[in-house]
Amino acid sequence: AQSVSQHNHHVILSEAASLELGCNYSYGGTVNLFWYVQYPGQHLQLLLKYFSGDPLVKGIKGFEAEFIKSKFSFNLRKPSVQWSDTAEYFCAVSPTGGGNKLTFGTGTQLKVEL
Amino acid sequence: GAVVSQHPSRVICKSGTSVKIECRSLDFQATTMFWYRQFPKQSLMLMATSNEGSKATYEQGVEKDKFLINHASLTLSTLTVTSAHPEDSSFYICSAPSNRDYYEQYFGPGTRLTVT
């Protein structure tokens, strides 16, 4: 079975600061990797995903993530955060060919201060 | 964009009763839907995969007789928590894959169940 760990549970940043949220997974085979975001009072929505190819993927709202296979990591980054990025961020994986079953990390609550 | 709704958004029930939660895809059809459970300050945990016209597939450790899933149409899946107990109190979330991209899932807003 796969597992996902997110190292930072709570992150507080000032506007314009750079962001990096860690995500590591454990699984014996190939995986698809996702970052989801949940803004206050809203549904979970997809930020970006990685299946194969270029390990640096770009998502919506200026977010990007890099897959480092040797480290089993898929860290989320944004060069300059905005107050509107305040949300909870979830890393998730699904086994390739595994029918889209997602295993989520515990989430990171990001607060961006003005 | 595609929308998934859940009803009710919150429900309180007495121990021993059953509660039904609905998940609807509002502007697209979904032959598959997923049910998750989220405990406070914890991750979403996949409970089961709901399949239109056939039996649901449950994850290991999830009691299928306690969490009954019915996917009666291409836009509706229901989760019934039978003989609810306080330990069933949780946040239940459903999702459905996009028709455009199967690996992009649309999530419902969740249902807060409290069993007293």
Side-chain angles (χ1 to χ4, degrees):
Chain A
Q2 60 266 29
S3 65
V4 180
S5 63
Q6 293 181 239
H7 322 297
N8 318 99
H9 298 295
H10 290 90
V11 173
I12 301 174
L13 294 173
S14 299
E15 268 206 326
S18 64
L19 169 73
E20 180 159 3
L21 301 182
C23 172
N24 287 88
Y25 70 93
S26 171
Y27 183 65
T30 56
V31 294
N32 301 319
L33 296 151
F34 307 83
W35 275 96
Y36 279 85
V37 61
Q38 188 169 27
Y39 297 102
Q42 296 188 29
H43 310 192
L44 272 168
Q45 56 184 283
L46 182 66
L47 258 185
L48 48 78
K49 61 183 186 288
Y50 172 81
F51 291 164
S52 63
D54 188 342
L56 183 63
V57 291
K58 295 189 184 301
I60 60 172
K61 305 188 180 187
F63 286 91
E64 64 180 32
E66 184 175 13
F67 171 51
I68 303 180
K69 189 175 180 180
S70 61
K71 295 184 178 180
F72 297 91
S73 71
F74 190 56
N75 291 356
L76 181 71
R77 301 195 291 248
K78 186 171 183 178
S80 175
V81 295
Q82 299 173 309
W83 177 80
S84 58
D85 293 324
T86 295
E88 189 154 19
Y89 294 81
F90 292 92
C91 181
V93 303
S94 67
T96 304
N100 208 5
K101 294 182 178 181
L102 292 171
T103 297
F104 283 87
T106 51
T108 297
Q109 185 68 52
L110 170 67
K111 182 178 179 182
V112 180
E113 296 179 331
L114 295 170
Chain B
V3 176
V4 173
S5 70
Q6 285 184 240
H7 178 78
S9 57
R10 56 180 67 230
V11 57
I12 301 172
C13 70
K14 292 188 184 298
S15 191
T17 62
S18 295
V19 175
K20 181 185 284 187
I21 301 169
E22 293 184 348
C23 176
R24 292 183 186 272
S25 55
L26 294 185
D27 51 359
F28 66 106
Q29 294 182 333
T31 55
T32 301
M33 290 183 175
F34 299 94
W35 285 96
Y36 294 84
R37 183 175 180 176
Q38 185 177 29
F39 292 100
K41 299 189 187 301
Q42 294 189 32
S43 179
L44 284 79
M45 183 189 74
L46 180 64
M47 298 174 65
T49 303
S50 174
N51 304 299
E52 188 270 334
S54 65
K55 290 183 179 180
T57 307
Y58 291 82
E59 296 302 301
Q60 194 171 15
V62 177
E63 298 176 62
K64 59 183 177 183
D65 293 331
K66 178 159 195 63
F67 299 100
L68 299 179
I69 290 172
N70 183 26
H71 197 144
S73 77
L74 289 170
T75 59
L76 174 64
S77 174
T78 60
L79 168 69
T80 302
V81 183
T82 63
S83 187
H85 288 103
E87 57 264 32
D88 299 325
S89 298
S90 192
F91 197 57
Y92 294 88
I93 303 172
C94 70
S95 72
S98 161
N99 291 155
R100 181 189 59 199
D101 178 355
Y102 181 73
Y103 289 99
E104 178 170 0
Q105 293 193 33
Y106 295 111
F107 284 81
T111 296
R112 171 75 60 195
L113 170 63
T114 303
V115 184
T116 60

